[in-house]
Amino acid sequence: MWEERIKIWYADHKGMSRDEAEMEYLKIAQDLDMYGVNYFAINNKKETDLYLGVTALGLNIYEKDNKLTPKTTFPWSEIKHISFDDKKFVIKFVDKSANNFIFFSPKGMNKLILDLCIGNHDLYMRRRKPDTMEVQQMKAQAKEEKLRRQIERNKLAREKQLREAAERERAAMEQRLLQYQEEVRLANEALRRSEETAELLAEKGRVAEEEASLLAQKAADAERENARLRLSNIRTEEEKVHLERKTREAEFLTARLVEESEKRAAEAERLKAELVAARLAEKQAKEKLLNFLSRTSTGSLPPLNSYQLVPDDPDPHIHRLSLEIEKERVEYLAKSKHLQQQLDELRCEFSVLRVEQPGATLDRLHEAQARAGDDKYSTLRRLKQGSTKTRLAFYEEL
């Protein structure tokens, strides 16, 4: 079920580059409480087991059973100097009246802790310094390059859409061509059958004419025989019977001749109508096919072996870039809202389907924090309240 859901959501982001996807992922991940935190087991002067969390914003102190919510924090802006001697780590604050922040860590971890602290502190201070002219130019060039790549991606996506539309149009045209060709074939087949039937009817007509001629001859012979007998005044019983039989035969043949003639006439009319309809259908089908082929050849429809693409965009200028930026911002806001709705739905489904595990301590802590209306940033703002001395004293009493 989740695999099918993920496939559908993955298709929603079709056309997004790998860099954009990673950035969108990090925008969501950075709001998690444990994102970007490197944890180290430490002890304070009271030998309490604690965790030191080295982050991009400062140093956090966690209790042993809760890596989610820090107990106190020391921002990089308050820290002046960092050093260690064997297992002892010493941090000096900008506030000279505050005591040193001292903790003890495993001997092999001090060098790693020092490197992480120095690196994060340097990056923190660098982000807050005004950019030099060279850096500003580099950022401007990077921004222009990003916009150029975005415009190029939009152009490629637009061309791809047009190409797909041309492919669909071509498939539809080919389908219509096959349909018209099939109509012409069926019309020709019907015309052929009608012509064969007309020939058969003509043959039957000739046979009927011969039969009618024969029947007429027999009727004439019977009539002559009847006249002859009447003239000879033959009155014998046998001759009367013979005369009556000949008369009935002549009447039967005459009636049969009339009936056959009527049937032949009706069949001839029906076949004539079918022949006319078949020729009309053939004419219409051929007209459709010729009209379709002429439209394709004159260019009113795209050719079957080509794609109609929009002309290349001119070189981007400032106004164009500003429009692209605004369009990208609006699209990003819409996508973010949609993505947030999807994540909320997913969280609700997880909460219903999840089986509680014995070691899900962090999940329970996160749920309690969410019920209290706290998040990562509100917790850090609350912990920064008060002076460095107050927070240091709180740490030493843990």
Side-chain angles (χ1 to χ4, degrees):
M1 179 181 66
W2 298 119
E3 183 177 359
E4 292 300 321
R5 180 75 60 82
I6 289 170
K7 286 180 180 179
I8 295 173
W9 287 356
Y10 179 80
D12 290 343
H13 302 287
K14 181 180 179 181
M16 181 181 291
S17 67
R18 183 181 185 88
D19 293 343
E20 290 176 324
E22 291 178 353
M23 187 60 66
E24 294 300 320
Y25 170 79
L26 291 175
K27 287 178 182 178
I28 297 173
Q30 69 177 353
D31 293 336
L32 300 175
D33 296 86
M34 299 175 67
Y35 170 82
V37 182
N38 292 283
Y39 295 93
F40 300 94
I42 63 170
N43 302 103
N44 60 6
K45 293 179 180 179
K46 297 174 66 175
E47 297 186 355
T48 304
D49 291 333
L50 300 169
Y51 278 114
L52 172 72
V54 182
T55 75
L57 299 177
L59 299 177
N60 299 336
I61 304 298
Y62 301 85
E63 291 181 325
K64 194 67 175 178
D65 57 351
N66 186 353
K67 285 186 175 181
L68 191 69
T69 308
K71 299 299 292 183
T72 189
T73 184
F74 300 98
W76 292 120
S77 58
E78 298 179 357
I79 296 174
K80 180 180 181 181
H81 185 265
I82 305 172
S83 64
F84 72 90
D85 182 14
D86 195 19
K87 297 181 179 181
K88 183 179 180 181
F89 219 99
V90 179
I91 296 176
K92 296 181 179 180
F93 294 106
V94 175
D95 184 1
K96 295 182 180 181
S97 62
N99 295 330
N100 293 335
F101 172 29
I102 298 173
F103 61 84
F104 301 89
S105 65
K107 185 175 181 180
M109 302 303 296
N110 280 346
K111 184 66 168 61
L112 176 59
I113 294 174
L114 179 64
D115 290 341
L116 283 173
C117 289
I118 293 175
N120 279 282
H121 183 269
D122 289 345
L123 289 175
Y124 179 87
M125 299 305 295
R126 189 184 303 174
R127 288 195 300 269
R128 279 147 183 80
K129 289 181 180 179
D131 293 332
T132 62
M133 184 61 65
E134 182 180 0
V135 172
Q136 291 178 12
Q137 291 177 353
M138 292 173 61
K139 285 186 175 180
Q141 292 175 358
K143 187 176 182 180
E144 290 179 0
E145 178 65 18
K146 180 181 177 182
L147 289 174
R148 187 192 63 78
R149 289 198 302 267
Q150 182 63 39
I151 293 173
E152 186 66 23
R153 284 194 296 268
N154 293 340
K155 177 183 173 182
L156 292 175
R158 188 163 59 251
E159 291 180 350
K160 185 177 180 181
Q161 292 175 356
L162 291 170
R163 187 176 296 109
E164 291 174 351
E167 286 284 355
R168 290 192 296 270
E169 180 65 19
R170 184 178 71 171
M173 290 170 61
E174 291 176 348
Q175 184 65 29
R176 290 200 297 272
L177 178 61
L178 293 175
Q179 180 183 353
Y180 293 152
Q181 290 175 343
E182 180 66 14
E183 289 181 4
V184 171
R185 188 189 67 80
L186 293 176
N188 287 330
E189 184 69 20
L191 180 61
R192 184 183 60 79
R193 289 196 302 267
S194 299
E195 291 175 347
E196 290 177 354
T197 307
E199 293 176 359
L200 181 61
L201 178 61
E203 182 65 25
K204 287 183 178 180
R206 288 192 296 271
V207 173
E209 289 177 359
E210 293 176 358
E211 291 179 354
S213 177
L214 181 60
L215 290 174
Q217 183 65 34
K218 288 184 178 180
D221 291 344
E223 186 64 29
R224 284 195 298 272
E225 182 68 17
N226 189 12
R228 185 183 65 78
L229 291 174
R230 282 198 300 271
L231 292 173
S232 61
N233 294 323
I234 299 174
R235 295 291 184 269
T236 62
E237 194 66 29
E238 292 181 357
E239 289 176 340
K240 287 181 179 180
V241 171
H242 179 70
L243 180 60
E244 290 176 356
R245 182 172 61 78
K246 289 289 186 180
T247 302
R248 284 195 301 271
E249 287 181 358
E251 292 175 352
F252 174 75
L253 290 174
T254 302
R256 182 181 173 188
L257 177 60
V258 173
E259 183 181 354
E260 287 292 332
S261 298
E262 291 176 352
K263 288 174 63 177
R264 294 291 187 275
E267 188 174 0
E269 290 296 329
R270 181 179 62 80
L271 290 175
K272 182 179 179 182
E274 289 182 0
L275 182 61
V276 172
R279 286 177 176 170
L280 180 60
E282 182 201 24
K283 181 180 179 182
Q284 292 176 349
K286 287 182 177 179
E287 287 177 353
K288 284 184 180 180
L289 182 59
L290 291 174
N291 184 34
F292 177 78
L293 294 176
S294 64
R295 288 165 58 201
T296 303
S297 61
T298 55
S300 58
L301 291 176
L304 296 180
N305 59 351
S306 67
Y307 305 108
Q308 184 67 29
L309 300 179
V310 296
D312 293 341
D313 293 332
D315 294 334
H317 48 79
I318 301 301
H319 181 65
R320 176 67 175 276
L321 293 180
S322 63
L323 291 178
E324 291 290 340
I325 293 173
E326 181 63 20
K327 180 180 178 182
E328 184 178 357
R329 187 183 70 83
V330 173
E331 291 178 353
Y332 172 74
L333 291 176
K335 290 179 181 178
S336 298
K337 184 178 180 181
H338 178 62
L339 181 60
Q340 189 60 45
Q341 292 175 350
Q342 290 179 328
L343 291 175
D344 292 339
E345 293 174 2
L346 191 62
R347 288 192 188 98
C348 292
E349 294 183 16
F350 274 142
S351 63
V352 173
L353 299 175
R354 184 177 58 203
V355 178
E356 190 68 26
Q357 298 294 331
T361 305
L362 292 176
D363 289 337
R364 289 192 292 271
L365 290 172
H366 176 71
E367 291 173 359
Q369 185 180 12
R371 285 195 298 270
D374 292 334
D375 58 18
K376 171 181 179 179
Y377 303 105
S378 64
T379 301
L380 291 176
R381 283 195 300 270
R382 176 172 51 81
L383 294 177
K384 288 179 182 178
Q385 295 176 356
S387 64
T388 305
K389 292 180 181 180
T390 304
R391 280 181 272 118
L392 182 60
F394 176 80
Y395 156 74
E396 292 176 349
E397 291 299 323
L398 290 174

